[in-house]
Amino acid sequence: MSNTIGNNLLHQSLLSPTVLEHQSRCNSSTCIWGNTFLQSQANSITHRPSLSTEFRGKRLTLQKKKLQMGRQGPNFRSTKAILAADTSSMLTEKFSLDEKIELQVDVELPTSGFASVVNVQISCSSDSLLLHWGAVKNQHGKWILPRHRPVGTMVYKDQALRSPFVKSASNSALSIEIDDPAIQALEFLIYDEAKNKWYKYNGGNFHVELPKADFRTPDISVPEDLVQIQAYLRWERKGKQNYTPEKEKEEYEAARTELLKEIAGGASVQDLRARLTSKNNTSESKEQLVSGSKKELVSGSKSNIPDDLVQIQSYIRWEKAGKPNYSPEQQLKEFEEARKDLQTELEKGSSLDKIRKKITKGEIQTKVSKQPVKERTFSGERIQRKNRDIMSFLTKFASKPIEENISPVPEVLSAVRQYSKAKEEHIDGPISSKNFYKLADKELLVLVANPSGKKKVYLATDLQEPVVLHWALSKNAGEWAAPPSTVLPPDSVSVGKAAETKFTVSSSENLPHKVQSLELTIEDDSFVGMPFVLLSGENWIKNSGSDFYVELKTGSAEVQKVKGTGDGKGTSKSLLDNIAELESEAQKSFMHRFNIAADLMEQATNAGELGLAAILVWMRFMATRQLIWNKNYNVKPREISQAQDRLTAKLQNVYKSCPQYREILRMILSTVGRGGEGDVGQRIRDEILVIQRNNNCKGGIMEQWHQKLHNNTSPDDVVICQALIDYMNSDFDLSVYWKTLNDNGITKERLLSYDRAIRSEPDFRRDQKDGLLRDLGHYMRTLKAVHSGADLDSAIANCMGYKTEGQGFMVGVQINPVSGLPAEFPDLLRFVMAHIEDKNVEALLEGLLEARQELRPLLSKNVRLKDLLFLDIALDSAVRTAVERGYEGLSNASPEKIMYFISLVVENLALSVDNNEDLIYCLKGWSLAQSMLKSGDDQWALFAKSVLDRTRLSLASKAEAYHQLLQPSAEYLGERLGVDQGAVNIFTEEIIRAGSAASVSSLLNRLDPILRQTAHLGNWQVISPVEAVGYVVVVDKLLSVQNKSYSKPTILVAKSVKGEEEIPDGAVAVLTPDMPDVLSHVSVRARNSKVCFATCFDSNILANIEALEGKLLCLKPTSADVVYSEMKDDELVSSTYSNEISSAPSMALEKKQFSGRYAISSEEFTSQMVGAKSRNIAHLKGKLPSWVNIPTSVALPFGVFEKVLSDDLNQIVANKLQVLKTKLDDGDISALGEIRNTVLELSAPPQLVKELKEKMQGSGMPWPGDEGEQRWNQAWVAIKRVWASKWNERAYFSTKKVKLDHNYLCMAVLVQEIINADYAFVIHTTNPSSEDSSEIYTEVVKGLGETLVGAYPGRALSFICKKNDLNSPQILGYPSKPIGLFIRRSIIFRSDSNGEDLEGYAGAGLYDSVPMDEEEEVVLDYSSDALFTDSKFCSSILSSIARAGSAIEELYGSAQDIEGVVKDGKIYVVQTRPQM
C-alpha cells in the first residue's frame, strides 16, 4: 500500500488554520518521495467527515473548507428531471433526448463506504459529447465541484465540470463515483460540442439524488483504533496491495462499515475488540499497532493537548528526521513523542495558545536524530533484482506478409465527395487546398482554387436543414473583418464584422442525396484568410469548438499535390493520400493535427500494420520539425492538451485490442506526447503569467514567450524553458542559452518564424535568478506533462500522482496515483531518480530494468494504461541515455562487465519489441557465456563470439523489418508533403538510431575485438585460400551481381552474402563482412572455381579496402589472414587473364532417355537411370559400420519428366512449355518463372502412381496415398517442384556460364524418408580452408540441413578432427544461426541431375530438394541444448560424426563431401559425393 494502512489509511482529524504556514514549504510534490504519515484517531469517538490533514509525499496536504459554487443561467434551474435513488437496489431511469437518442441513468450503492456510482449512457456514439455537471450539498442547490472526477474532466469557468463520454459500440457512457457523503445530488446537462447543441430536461437540469446507507445511524460509533485494525486486516487479506489515496479512504471506510454492520447485528464494541485483538486474528505487528493505540488513549486522557497540534509537531519531527518511511509502530511512537514534546511545554507553564504560536514558528524543542534511509528493494548502492524466468516476457505473434487490409469492394464516395470530384473536373486552374470536415455523420467540403487568376472558395455540405454561412475575411491571420460589399454574393446580409450567406441546394442525377453548396469569389489579394461558422437550423456548428478558417494565401511551404509520387506500393496508400489532403488543415495547430490523427485512427487500425505505419511516419515528420507546427491560428494550450489526450486515448484502446501492433503503437506514442489530464494544459497558459508577476519580468523575452505560449504551445517550449534555466545556471552566459537551443534543433530563424515571434535574448537581473530558477523548474513539469511522453520525471509524477494548488486565477491540478502498482514500486522509482545522473551507470541500469519488469504485467489491462506506457517508454529512453553516458567508462572494462552491460541492454530491447523470441535466446546465450567465463571454461570467448554474431543478426533482422514497414510510407508521404529528401532518405535509419538497438550495437562493437583476440580468431576467416589480383568493386549484395560478367579481373567487396549465390564471371575474389558457412553452396563454388573467398571481421580493415575501389589489389590469403597490397596497372598481365577467361571449360552432357520404368529401387540404380547422388547412397549400403545408418531410397529415373510431359494428359502443358522455351531462347529471362509455374500444372499418369507406390512399399517406405488423396497430391507437387528447379535462375545461368546445353540436362528424383533430425551435418574429409588432408572439417546445425547449405543467416557449429585422433574433436566456432528447420515424419524428393557432378563444374546444390510437408521454422535456444552445455555429450556426438566421415572416405578411397543427420544419438548418412 503506498506506505499505507501500514503507513496510512486516510485518517481524519481536526486541524487548526495555523498549520497553513507549513503548506507553503512544498506546494506540489509527487507521492513516491516520502511517507504518508499515520494520523492518530485515538481521541475521536465518532466518525467526523471533517477537515483532513495528511502527510502525503514530502508535504502536508490540506482539504480546505471552501466550496466552489456554479450558476448555470436563469433557465438551467427551472425544471428538473429528478431521479431519487434508494438504498435497497440500483435504480434506472430512461429519458428520450430526441427521436434517435435515449439517455439512461443508473445509480448504485457499493457494498462498502459512502461512494455512490452514477452511470450515464447515451445511445449515440459521437466523439464530441460532454457531461456538463456539478454536485449539490444542500437545499440551496448551488453547484460545487467534487475532487473525484472521471478521466479527462475539465473545469468550465470555475462553475462546472465537463467530462467526455467514452465510446462503446453505438453508445457513449460515463461513470461518476461520488465519495463525499455530504453530497446529496448530482445535476447535469449534456452538450454536443461539435454541434454546439445542449440536451436539457424541459429546459432545465437533470437532477439525480444520491442514496444514503440506512444502517449508518448517528448513535452508532466504532473506536478509531478498531477501525485501523480492521483496515489493516483487510489490507493483509488483499495481498498488501499498493493503494491510491482514494482507495485508502475507500478501504478505511469499508472497514468502518464492516464493523458497523456487526454492531447493527448485535455485537458490542467489547466483542469487536476481543475479536480483533485475539491471538488468532492478529500478527505481532497488529498487536503492536493495538498496543500503540491503547498507549495513545492513555496518554491522551492525561493531557488536554489537541490532536491537531500533535499532528503538526509529528510533521516537524518527521521533517527533522529526514522524512523517513515509518512503519505503523514507528508512526504511533512518533505521535507519542510529539505529544510528550508538547506536554513538556505545557508543564513549563505555556498555554495552548502560546504553544500553538511557538509550534508554527518551529520553536518547540525536540530531540530527534536524522534517520538513515532504509530501502526495501535494494541495499547499499545496488538493487536486489528478482529472479525471473526469462521466457516469461516472451511476446510472439504469427508472422504474416506486410500488406494493407483493403476490402476488394470499391470505395463508395459520399455525396459531398462526389460533388467535389465533379467540381474539380470543371475548375480551370490550380487547386490551392481541399479539406473535408466531419460534422457528426455529415460532411463539409472547403475547396480553394484559382480559376482564371481569381481566388474562389467552394463550400458544400450534406446537412439536411438549411445552412447559413456566417463569415468574415482576414487581412491579419485569425481576425474577423466584414467582407466588402463587392465580395458578397446575392441575398447576403452584413452582420457587424461578419456577413451571412445562405447555401443553395445543388441537385444532380449523379448525387444520391441533396448537397447544399456555395461559391465565393475574392479578388482582393490583401485578404489572407476567411474565418467562418455555420448555422444549421437553430444549431451553430464549429470546427471542434473553434472557428473554421480557410487559408487564402499559399506560401512556399504550402502542401501541394506532387506528381510522380509513385504507386505507393508497400504502403497504406489510401490513408497516406487522406493525410496529404488534410495536411493543410493540420498545419494550423497541434490541436488540429492531433484531432485529425485521432479521426484517422479507425481507418489506420482497419488497414493493419501499414495503416499504423502511416500514422507513425506522419507523426515522426511532425516531431522532427519537417512539417509546419502552427500557421495563422491561435489555440489554447488546454485545447492542444485535450486533443493529445483524445489521440493517446485512441492509441491506448488499439494497444489493448490489437496486441500484435504494440511495438509500433509505442513508437507512435513516443512521438505524440502524453497530453494533459484535467487542467494541466490550461496551466501552461496561466502559470507563465504567475511566473512573470512573481519575478517582475513582464517585458522582453518573457513577454514574447508568453505570447507564443498563449498562441500555440509546442515541444519547443520545453527546450526554451531548459535554455533559460541553463542560461541562469551558467552565470547568465548567453552562449549557453543558444547552445541548448541549437543542440535541440532551435535556431534564431525558428524563434522568429513563430506566429508570435521570440526576438529578444534573455536579460535577467541577478536578484531574479533564484525565483526564476525555482518557478521555471516547476513550470518545466507542466510543459513536460503535455509535450514530453518520454520524460522520466513527468512520467513518474503522472503515475504516482501529484497535486499542484491553484493561485488566484490559475487552476489547480490533481493527478491521482495509478492503482494496482506493486508495493515496492515507489522505492524502486526513488532509487532510479536518486541515481539518474550517476557516472557509473551499472546500478542505474539495473534499477531501470527492474522497474520495467515490474511494470510489464500491467501494460495490457490497467485503466490508466497510457500513463503506464509513457512511464515504460521513459524508462526505456533512460536506459539508452545511461548506456551512452557510460559507454566511455567501458574503455578498460573487463569482458565480463561488458557482457553484463550487453545483457542488460538486450533485456531492455526485448521488453520494447514484439516477436522477441530471438532476443530472449540471445539473452540466455549471454548469461551462459558469463557463466562459462566465471567457471574458467577456456571456450568462453569462442561461445561469446557466437552469441555476439547472433545478436548482430537479430539487430539486422529488426532493422530490415523496420525498413520494409516504414520506408515506403516515408518516401510516398514525404514526396506528397514536400519533406526534405535527406530526411526521407534516412527516415528508417534515424528510427533505428533512436532506439535501444543502437545502444546494443555500440556495446557489441566494443566487445568484438576483445573476443576475437581472446579466442585467437584473427580478423579474417579464409574460406577459399586462393591468391588473386584484381580491381576493387564494392556492391551491397552479391546476389545483385551474380549474373553479371566483369571484363576485368574483379575483387568484389559484397556487404551481403547469404550462401546460395553464384560467383559472377570475371570475379577473382569475394570479400564480405557477412558470415556464410564454410560449407555453404557459395563457399563450395568459390573453392571449385579457384576464387578467393573470405570473411573480414574488422570493419576498419574492410573500410580501408572499400576506399581503394577502382584500384588494383593483390590478395595473399593464409589459413587465418589476408594480406593485401596495391599494385600498378602495368603489373597486371592482361594476356594471362584473358587467356583464363577464354579457356573456360566447355562441357558436354549426355542426354538421357526414358528407360520404360517410372520408378526403381536402390538395387536398380545405374548411371543410365540416376545421377551420382542416388548411386553413391546405394553404394554405401552394407559397407559401413553397423552404427552408421543409411535411409531407404527409391527413385524416379532419368526421362520420367519428359515421358510425363509427352503423355496425352499433358498435351496443353507441353504446348505451353514449348512456347515459353522459345521465348527463353530469345533472351527473355522472365520466361524462367513462367516455365516453373507451368511445370506445376502437369498431371500424373496412372502408371507412374502405380509403379512408385509398388517400389516405395516394397522398400519398406510409407506410401503417401495411404493417408488420403490429399497426401498423394502433396507428394506429386513436391516431385514437380524438383523437376521445375531445372529452370531456377541460378542453375540456368550456371549452365550457360560453362556452356552446357541446358536442353540435355536431365533430372532424376531420389525419394527418401525424412529423418526428423536433432542435428544435421556436412563433412569435408579434407579441410577445405587449409587443404590439409590429415584433418576432417565438419559443420553442424540444429534440425534439418537446409539451414546449413541454404541461404539461412548465421554460422553453424564447426570443428576439425585429426584422422589419427578421431576421439578428440576441436571446436572452431559455436553456432549463431537463429533458425532451425524441423518437420514431421515425411518424404523428401531430392534433385539428382546428370549435371551436378561433372568434373570441374560445381553443380551441387543448384537444384531443389523438396519435402512433401512444410518445414517448421523454430527459433533456436542453444543455451539449453546438451550439445553446447554438456562437454561429454558434445565430444561423443562430434567424434561419431568424424568417424563416419573417415569410414566413408576409406570406402571410396578419396576425399568426400558428406551430408547426414543425428537422431537420438544415432548417425544417418543421407548422401555423399567426391569433395571438389
Side-chain angles (χ1 to χ4, degrees), residues 21 28 212 316 452 1282:
E21 291 185 23
S28 66
K212 301 293 180 185
I316 293 170
S452 305
V1282 175

Side-chain angles (χ1 to χ4, degrees), residues 479-493:
E479 73 174 1
W480 280 70
S485 58
T486 56
V487 175
L488 297 177
D491 300 324
S492 296
V493 178

